[in-house]
Amino acid sequence: MSTGSIRTIILPLLLIFITANFVFSPLEAQNTIPIEEENFIKTEPLTKKIYYFSITGYSSSPDETDDTPWITAYNTLTKDGIVASNDLPFGTKIKIPQLFGDKIFVVEDRLNERIRGVIDIWFPSKESALNFGIYYNVLVEVLE
């Protein structure tokens, strides 16, 4: 074999060997690309807590409430975003997407103890509560 034919065979093989070790070495990859958990995308659980309720409206009118119409059962002042429910614990955050999109409501009030399956949304006036009306079998998403 001549020197030229050895070079044409050996040099390409040597080049392939060196390149393969440099590019595909697992140790090199571990040392040069640190993987940290913080870099991964964190996703929310795919399951949602959803329930169906009748949705009504109420106001701080004395004929609709007890003797402290502006104070909720949770001992806070009534304000936009407050709902009353006997089925969900105080402080529960909910969405009613069909009626209010992404608006978040908080359970801070109660209804008459015999009423179940209803979420009562606080309105600033009796007229606005009456105009809201009643909606049956509305999907409610429980956030917390």
Side-chain angles (χ1 to χ4, degrees), residues 44 48-51 91-96 102-105 140-144:
E44 295 181 20
K48 292 182 180 180
K49 292 181 184 177
I50 58 171
Y51 302 94
T92 301
K93 293 181 181 176
I94 64 168
K95 284 186 189 178
I96 309 169
D102 285 332
K103 183 175 182 175
I104 296 174
F105 294 90
V140 174
E141 186 179 329
V142 175
L143 305 175
E144 304 176 4

Side-chain angles (χ1 to χ4, degrees), residues 1 4-14:
M1 242 186 213
S5 63
I6 292 176
R7 261 191 259 171
T8 57
I9 294 172
I10 301 275
L11 282 178
L13 289 175
L14 186 58

Side-chain angles (χ1 to χ4, degrees), residues 7-8 12 18 20 24 30 32-33 47 50-51 57-58 63 83 91 95 102 104-105 111-112 114 124 127:
R7 261 191 259 171
T8 57
I18 290 171
F24 300 110
Q30 279 182 340
T32 57
I33 306 171
T47 57
I50 58 171
Y51 302 94
Y58 77 106
D63 61 322
V83 297
K95 284 186 189 178
D102 285 332
I104 296 174
F105 294 90
L111 296 105
N112 185 296
R114 72 180 187 280
E127 180 183 2

Side-chain angles (χ1 to χ4, degrees), residues 66-133:
D66 61 13
D67 57 341
T68 57
W70 297 98
I71 299 176
T72 67
Y74 195 55
N75 206 27
T76 59
L77 291 176
T78 55
K79 63 183 178 289
D80 184 43
I82 298 294
V83 297
S85 172
N86 292 339
D87 302 293
L88 299 169
F90 285 130
T92 301
K93 293 181 181 176
I94 64 168
K95 284 186 189 178
I96 309 169
Q98 178 183 341
L99 302 175
F100 295 96
D102 285 332
K103 183 175 182 175
I104 296 174
F105 294 90
V106 181
V107 176
E108 291 188 9
D109 215 349
R110 295 287 187 227
L111 296 105
N112 185 296
E113 63 186 31
R114 72 180 187 280
I115 299 173
R116 296 284 179 201
V118 174
I119 290 181
D120 214 4
I121 299 170
W122 182 84
F123 285 90
S125 71
K126 186 170 185 165
E127 180 183 2
S128 57
L130 289 171
N131 286 336
F132 177 73

